[in-house]
Amino acid sequence: MSSEQHKSGFNLGSIDEETHVHVNVEQQLIVITEDKLRNHLNKNIPEITGKTGWIPALTLVIAFLIPLLTSDFNNWVFEPIVWEVLVVIGLILSFCRFLYIIYKNHNSKTVEDLIEIIKNKPK
């Protein structure tokens, strides 16, 4: 065998005799039918992608918090106290939504969990 080829048939280029080459390209093959894969993805992908749902919820909390901390509400259409109460209610509702999303996603599945499900190895 020449110094340019490993026993696996990969062309490794010009390597001198003193270089030690270790090839680790072992793979696992998962065979699954299309309908089973579609069912797994439809069931689990929304839960996996929902893990980042806290970002817009937190952004909404901040969007209500900033005017509450920095604004002097004016008498425009409603009294200033009404505007302030509306912003506080929005802040409370958005914060509750943020906490709900965090709670809901605390134990949600990961991509690794989905792979184990597809491999029929329950976690």
Side-chain angles (χ1 to χ4, degrees):
M1 183 165 77
S2 75
S3 64
E4 293 185 16
Q5 276 196 334
H6 190 269
K7 67 180 179 181
S8 63
F10 291 116
N11 182 357
L12 299 174
S14 60
I15 298 176
D16 62 14
E17 295 296 325
E18 295 178 14
T19 303
H20 298 283
V21 177
H22 302 276
V23 178
N24 183 5
V25 290
E26 187 176 298
Q27 294 287 319
Q28 289 186 357
L29 181 65
I30 302 171
V31 179
I32 187 170
T33 61
E34 181 179 348
D35 62 325
K36 285 185 180 181
L37 179 61
R38 189 177 314 277
N39 288 340
H40 286 304
L41 293 176
N42 285 335
K43 182 179 177 185
N44 295 295
I45 288 293
E47 186 176 348
I48 291 171
T49 57
K51 283 196 168 287
T52 58
W54 64 270
I55 296 171
L58 181 61
T59 303
L60 193 58
V61 169
I62 293 169
F64 278 109
L65 187 62
I66 289 173
L68 188 64
L69 297 175
T70 62
S71 296
D72 291 327
F73 296 98
N74 295 326
N75 191 6
W76 181 76
V77 181
F78 301 115
E79 295 293 320
I81 190 71
V82 174
W83 287 115
E84 192 171 353
V85 167
L86 289 174
V87 171
V88 169
I89 290 171
L91 176 63
I92 291 169
L93 292 175
S94 61
F95 187 71
C96 289
R97 181 174 179 258
F98 170 72
L99 291 178
Y100 171 73
I101 290 172
I102 294 293
Y103 172 75
K104 180 179 157 189
N105 290 331
H106 178 65
N107 290 325
S108 61
K109 292 181 179 78
T110 64
V111 172
E112 295 303 318
D113 294 334
L114 178 57
I115 291 171
E116 292 303 315
I117 290 169
I118 291 172
K119 288 164 71 173
N120 284 326
K121 293 182 182 176
K123 191 173 179 182

